[in-house]
Amino acid sequence: MITEATLKDTKCYHCGAEIKQTTYKFDEKVFCCAGCESVYQVLSAGNLCDYYAYNSTPGKTQKVNQQQYAFLDEEFIIKDLVDYRDDTITKITLYIPSIHCSSCIWLLEHLYKLNQGILHSRIDFLKKQVAVTFKHGEVSLRQVVELMVSVGYEPLISLQDVVKEKQSSVNRDLIKRIAVAGLCMGNVMLFSFPEYFGLSAFEEQYKTLFGYLNLAFAVPATLYCSREFFESAWSGLKNKLVNLDAPLALIIAVLFIRTVFEILTHTGAGFSDTLTGLIFLLLMGRWVKQRSYYHLSFERDYRSYFPVAVSVIKNGKEKVQAVADLVVTDRMLIHNNEITPADAILMKTEAFFDFSFVTGESEPVKKVAGEVVYAGGRLIGAAAELEVIKPVSQSYLTSLWNNETFSKSTIEENFNDTIAKYFSLVSFVIAFAAAGYWLYANDSSKAWAAFTAVLIVACPCVLSLSTPFTLSALLGVFDKNQFYLKNTDVVEKLAKIDTTVFDKTGTITGTNGISLTGELNDLDKIYVASVAHNSLHPLSREIVKFLNPDSFLPVREFEEKPGNGIAGFVNNTEIRLGSHAFVNTSGDYSVDSSVVYVEIDGTYKGYFTVGQQWREGLYGLFYGLRKLTDLHLLSGDTDQDKHTLYHIFPYPDQMHFQQSPHEKLEYIKDLQSQNKHVMMLGDGLNDAGALKQSDLGIAVTDNINNFSPACDAIIQGEAMVKLPRFIRLAKKAMMTIKLSFVISASYNLVGVYFAVQGTLSPLTAAVLMPLSTITIIAFTSVCTRYFSGQLKLRKA
């Protein structure tokens, strides 16, 4: 029973605030205000009280002003804020400054339990943003926001692209902590110089003063600057996981406790110099890791990371324009299977869009003239004109490529995670073993000294530094050489590749001239060009260029069968373009080159012969790759180019033609069943299944919209010849990271030899630990630049 007596100096169950007078009571728990009580009631009703297990004082609760978010009921505002909206669901990304710990993540990812209209929510901790998907028929955007505010997480809402703006900015809190840690470290080192060089009798009187000053600087460094290490370690331990921050937090705690003990008892100078230096270097490593993350998330200049273009109509003519240059009111022409890069309004007739890129649902959605088509929709059918109503969003395009729907089904543990587990455990074992030995020998002072020293010199901070420093430099090199990776794991996948599979058309070939065999009158040519104009396939685009009509006619019932052909109706006339099997050729058959047959209203009219132009440097590409991987070729075309490829492809028996998209997919699966690490290169149009199935899918692009959710990387066609060098650089980068551990281990072995004896002085620890870290930073940076130069790749 709660009484007034028990309320004295009681803490609020929700936010931890002190309660000295009458309070709010519910479920045998006390609260400081109605807001905290209401949040607890909401969590209790949703069976979410496990939230308090993640944080004993989850944070402040805000009362919701009933009129504060009334503007979110306005339809024109909602349209400007949401990422996607259809008849049932709405997707929106909100920036939440108050996200700071695991309890925030836990609660915000369980919003669906608080309101059944919310389908799911996903947190990006580094960017402090939450992507929420909800049924707007059951819960409004205003209600979603008010729910988040009621549980203490108020989003920052602006009609500007807040998420994009915040992502590109530096984490100011981290910068502040680095600045404070650097200030503390510099002053501690200054006050420690007399100790380093030996105190004279005259200076001895200042020893105590300097000790207290050092302690004064160690306190903010420990309690403020290193807070995240303790929060992360505690979160991991609660989930029965010893993460990389656990030994770091223990080292910091032990150094601080021992420093306080020695200075207050006047038994030593403490470890303030080592402590502040360690915290500063670790925070710098975290900053570099964050910058590396943003680099991988394409935050510097997304125009260079998405080498895609879109067709726009200006002055009645169609031309290709970079996606980044799109502005409001631009008129886009989106072709079949092309992705809409910006929110736009459909201008003509009707069209079907596949929004699985956004929602995961593959059912095509019908749009009519005047309706909004959200970025990320893939057009199914005849080409459509759309007018841009919102600029291209950097953050949104990035999130689409990283959509979980298109993630690989298997998650491999990376090298850093694998080593971290064992490194941390070994550090603990050695430290406790050394302490136990000296306690058994009845020398408690040496036990304490040995335990502390081992944790200092065996500090796994190199694990948190070597990988981001190496990858940061490596990704800069790839960027400069027109090779764009999806995330950090792709580097390790690239280093493991032992099998490479190529598509042919649009990947290793271009076009070199086109001719027409047969007769087409002027109207036939307009009809054929109008149908071909709806397709992104390289052969279709060449046909349009060859026929070059003054205008295009509307096409109905357009369909494109990958690997076969395209068909549609123009003025009630059926046009079919494609392979010998797709078109009624009346026995006429050519095998000279890539051929596109033409059928008009069931009558065979002839065929287009498209000359093949192999990419420049193709022989060098195959020659370089055969030294690193096993090579395979899968083509949907006929085998008329087989004899030409005999002279340049190293393994003729591993060339396969007339392969359907499904057969390509099964071929990849068969290679993987043989424990092969497969890299697939395709144009991203007919190879989406194979690209997704492969261990590393690379979309090859030239000047068309080739932004595929299935690929792990995008490479410019002209840069493909550098692929063997990219693989070698990835292998050398992984070797560099591993060598950095060897170097660090060498330092640690020397240090541990003295540490277990309990004879390591603060000066030695202060020099040895940073020296190891600085050596690793210099080593990884120099190696990456050296290997890039050795492989003749442009440096970042």
Side-chain angles (χ1 to χ4, degrees):
M1 184 70 180
I2 299 176
T3 65
E4 288 295 325
T6 62
L7 295 179
K8 186 177 182 180
D9 296 328
T10 299
K11 290 185 177 181
C12 173
Y13 184 76
H14 177 72
C15 71
E18 295 290 341
I19 303 172
K20 298 185 180 295
Q21 297 179 356
T22 304
T23 188
Y24 297 86
K25 296 164 287 193
F26 179 79
D27 199 16
E28 297 298 315
K29 295 175 176 62
V30 293
F31 306 91
C32 66
C33 64
C36 288
E37 181 185 16
S38 65
V39 173
Y40 176 80
Q41 290 174 347
V42 169
L43 295 175
S44 178
N47 194 28
L48 290 175
C49 286
D50 286 345
Y51 170 60
Y52 295 97
Y54 285 79
N55 198 327
S56 58
T57 56
K60 294 182 179 179
T61 302
Q62 301 181 23
K63 297 180 181 179
V64 180
N65 184 329
Q66 296 300 316
Q67 296 303 315
Q68 182 179 358
Y69 297 102
F71 69 94
L72 293 178
D73 289 330
E74 300 293 338
E75 193 64 30
F76 74 94
I77 292 179
I78 294 175
K79 288 180 179 179
D80 283 337
L81 290 174
V82 300
D83 296 328
Y84 172 80
R85 187 179 180 91
D86 59 22
D87 294 338
T88 307
I89 69 169
T90 295
K91 289 174 66 73
I92 187 170
T93 303
L94 298 169
Y95 175 73
I96 303 181
S98 57
I99 294 178
H100 68 283
C101 65
S102 57
S103 61
C104 304
I105 297 173
W106 188 87
L107 179 57
L108 289 171
E109 290 194 347
H110 285 77
L111 290 175
Y112 66 91
K113 288 190 176 182
L114 301 181
N115 191 305
Q116 298 301 314
I118 297 176
L119 297 177
H120 58 80
S121 49
R122 181 65 58 191
I123 300 296
D124 189 321
F125 184 75
L126 284 179
K127 299 176 185 176
K128 294 183 181 294
Q129 68 185 57
V130 56
V132 183
T133 303
F134 60 94
K135 296 180 180 179
H136 49 248
E138 300 180 20
V139 58
S140 67
L141 174 58
R142 176 182 176 180
Q143 290 172 323
V144 170
V145 171
E146 289 179 344
L147 173 62
M148 297 171 68
V149 174
S150 72
V151 295
Y153 298 98
E154 181 179 10
L156 178 59
I157 298 176
S158 167
L159 294 184
Q160 302 298 321
D161 190 352
V162 175
V163 172
K164 168 185 170 181
E165 186 177 304
K166 295 299 177 182
Q167 280 175 244
S168 59
S169 65
V170 176
N171 186 328
R172 293 187 178 181
D173 181 61
L174 179 58
I175 293 297
K176 288 178 182 177
R177 287 187 283 117
I178 290 175
V180 172
L183 175 68
C184 294
M185 179 185 70
N187 283 279
V188 167
M189 292 297 182
L190 179 64
F191 291 128
S192 297
F193 274 127
E195 178 71 21
Y196 294 161
F197 298 109
L199 290 170
S200 66
F202 176 76
E203 296 167 328
E204 189 70 28
Q205 59 182 313
Y206 296 106
K207 180 177 181 180
T208 302
L209 174 61
F210 288 161
Y212 284 126
L213 288 173
N214 283 344
L215 180 58
F217 284 110
V219 170
T222 303
L223 302 184
Y224 170 65
C225 300
S226 62
R227 182 185 69 245
E228 286 190 2
F229 297 108
F230 291 98
E231 291 174 348
S232 174
W234 178 241
S235 175
L237 291 174
K238 284 191 295 188
N239 290 283
K240 299 180 181 180
L241 173 68
V242 179
N243 60 25
L244 186 58
D245 287 334
L248 296 176
L250 181 59
I251 292 169
I252 293 171
V254 169
L255 286 173
F256 180 71
I257 292 171
R258 185 170 179 185
T259 298
V260 171
F261 176 79
E262 289 191 3
I263 291 176
L264 294 182
T265 60
H266 305 292
T267 56
F271 288 81
S272 296
D273 48 1
T274 304
L275 173 63
T276 54
L278 173 65
I279 293 172
F280 176 75
L281 288 169
L282 289 175
L283 291 176
M284 283 298 296
R286 184 152 291 190
W287 179 80
V288 171
K289 184 185 294 185
Q290 187 179 87
R291 295 306 301 169
S292 177
Y293 178 87
Y294 285 140
H295 178 97
L296 295 168
S297 296
F298 315 127
E299 298 303 321
R300 289 185 304 130
D301 182 358
Y302 71 100
R303 289 172 297 181
S304 67
Y305 291 105
F306 292 98
V308 293
V310 65
S311 297
V312 295
I313 300 174
K314 291 189 176 181
N315 300 322
K317 294 185 178 181
E318 179 184 344
K319 73 171 189 175
V320 175
Q321 179 173 304
V323 168
D325 295 333
L326 284 176
V327 296
V328 176
T329 72
D330 271 353
R331 187 70 64 90
M332 300 183 295
L333 182 68
I334 304 298
H335 303 84
N336 181 49
N337 281 326
E338 191 172 11
I339 293 171
T340 307
D343 292 354
I345 293 177
L346 183 62
M347 301 305 295
K348 294 183 179 180
T349 63
E350 63 181 34
F352 288 86
F353 291 86
D354 175 5
F355 285 99
S356 60
F357 201 0
V358 183
T359 66
E361 299 293 332
S362 58
E363 187 69 24
V365 177
K366 181 180 179 181
K367 295 287 184 178
V368 298
E371 280 196 273
V372 174
V373 177
Y374 290 94
R378 186 188 292 273
L379 179 64
I380 305 297
E385 290 187 21
L386 298 98
E387 184 172 301
V388 177
I389 60 172
K390 188 187 292 187
V392 176
S393 168
Q394 165 188 4
S395 57
Y396 189 57
L397 285 180
T398 301
S399 68
L400 288 182
W401 199 10
N402 287 280
N403 193 330
E404 287 184 341
T405 306
F406 299 96
S407 298
K408 305 295 186 185
S409 57
T410 58
I411 300 176
E412 297 181 7
E413 190 175 56
N414 61 39
F415 176 76
N416 206 56
D417 294 336
T418 304
I419 295 296
K421 290 191 303 183
Y422 300 107
F423 203 109
S424 301
L425 290 174
V426 169
S427 300
F428 283 135
V429 169
I430 295 175
F432 282 107
Y437 172 82
W438 289 112
L439 286 174
Y440 179 77
N442 294 320
D443 193 336
S444 58
S445 62
K446 279 198 172 184
W448 172 254
F451 180 77
T452 307
V454 169
L455 287 178
I456 295 171
V457 297
C459 169
C461 56
V462 65
L463 287 170
S464 62
L465 292 174
S466 62
T467 300
F469 267 91
T470 304
L471 294 183
S472 178
L474 185 71
L475 267 293
V477 174
F478 284 160
D479 171 27
K480 289 292 184 180
N481 289 274
Q482 302 176 312
F483 185 39
Y484 314 100
L485 305 188
K486 185 174 184 178
N487 53 51
T488 51
D489 294 334
V490 177
V491 177
E492 291 191 39
K493 291 179 181 179
L494 185 62
K496 294 178 181 177
I497 291 302
D498 56 26
T499 303
T500 303
V501 179
F502 285 95
D503 175 43
K504 185 172 78 72
T505 304
T507 302
I508 63 173
T509 68
T511 54
N512 183 24
I514 184 171
S515 61
L516 172 63
T517 301
E519 292 189 6
L520 295 177
N521 60 39
D522 291 341
L523 185 61
D524 288 341
K525 290 180 179 179
I526 294 176
Y527 283 4
V528 170
S530 296
V531 173
H533 186 237
N534 290 271
S535 172
L536 274 177
H537 195 280
L539 299 184
S540 298
R541 296 173 71 86
E542 288 301 317
I543 290 174
V544 173
K545 290 180 183 178
F546 175 75
L547 296 176
N548 192 27
D550 293 330
S551 62
F552 298 99
L553 298 175
V555 178
R556 296 183 297 105
E557 299 180 31
F558 177 84
E559 66 171 337
E560 183 167 5
K561 293 187 176 181
N564 289 295
I566 57 177
F569 285 86
V570 183
N571 290 339
N572 296 320
T573 300
E574 184 182 20
I575 308 296
R576 298 176 70 85
L577 307 172
S579 65
H580 182 266
F582 187 72
V583 173
N584 176 20
T585 62
S586 303
D588 191 1
Y589 185 61
S590 171
V591 294
D592 292 338
S593 187
S594 292
V595 173
V596 179
Y597 298 93
V598 182
E599 177 186 329
I600 300 179
D601 261 347
T603 303
Y604 173 64
K605 292 289 187 176
Y607 59 85
F608 293 95
T609 302
V610 184
Q612 292 292 329
Q613 178 179 341
W614 306 108
R615 287 194 184 272
E616 186 177 349
L618 193 61
Y619 178 77
L621 171 65
F622 288 151
Y623 181 77
L625 283 176
R626 70 180 296 181
K627 296 180 178 180
L628 301 169
T629 68
D630 188 25
L631 297 182
H632 299 256
L633 179 74
L634 300 178
S635 174
D637 297 338
T638 59
D639 62 356
Q640 64 265 24
D641 293 315
K642 189 172 184 178
H643 295 290
T644 304
L645 284 169
Y646 272 151
H647 301 291
I648 59 175
F649 197 79
Y651 310 114
D653 58 323
Q654 293 179 174
M655 292 190 298
H656 303 276
F657 298 89
Q658 295 181 300
Q659 298 289 299
S660 68
H662 178 72
E663 288 173 326
K664 292 181 181 181
L665 174 63
E666 292 301 318
Y667 192 90
I668 297 293
K669 286 182 178 180
D670 182 60
L671 290 173
Q672 291 174 326
S673 68
Q674 303 171 35
N675 295 320
K676 303 283 189 180
H677 291 87
V678 183
M679 175 173 67
M680 170 76 185
L681 287 94
D683 59 13
L685 300 174
N686 300 328
D687 310 309
L691 285 173
K692 181 181 178 183
Q693 178 61 40
S694 61
D695 298 287
L696 175 57
I698 301 178
V700 181
T701 184
D702 289 305
N703 62 349
I704 58 174
N705 191 339
N706 215 8
F707 182 52
S708 171
C711 65
D712 298 296
I714 300 172
I715 190 170
Q716 290 276 25
E718 62 188 79
M720 196 167 63
V721 293
K722 301 178 183 179
L723 195 56
R725 285 181 275 169
F726 292 149
I727 296 176
R728 286 192 173 92
L729 184 58
K731 291 179 181 292
K732 290 180 182 294
M734 297 310 301
M735 180 184 69
T736 299
I737 293 173
K738 293 173 183 178
L739 283 176
S740 70
F741 291 125
V742 174
I743 295 173
S744 178
S746 301
Y747 275 102
N748 291 341
L749 287 174
V750 174
V752 166
Y753 173 76
F754 294 101
V756 294
Q757 301 177 54
T759 58
L760 198 66
S761 68
L763 175 60
T764 306
V767 172
L768 188 60
M769 184 275 299
L771 184 61
S772 171
T773 304
I774 293 171
T775 302
I776 294 306
I777 293 173
F779 175 75
T780 56
S781 299
V782 170
C783 282
T784 304
R785 294 187 66 83
Y786 171 76
F787 289 136
S788 300
Q790 186 183 53
L791 293 169
K792 298 181 180 179
L793 294 172
R794 291 180 61 191
K795 301 174 184 177

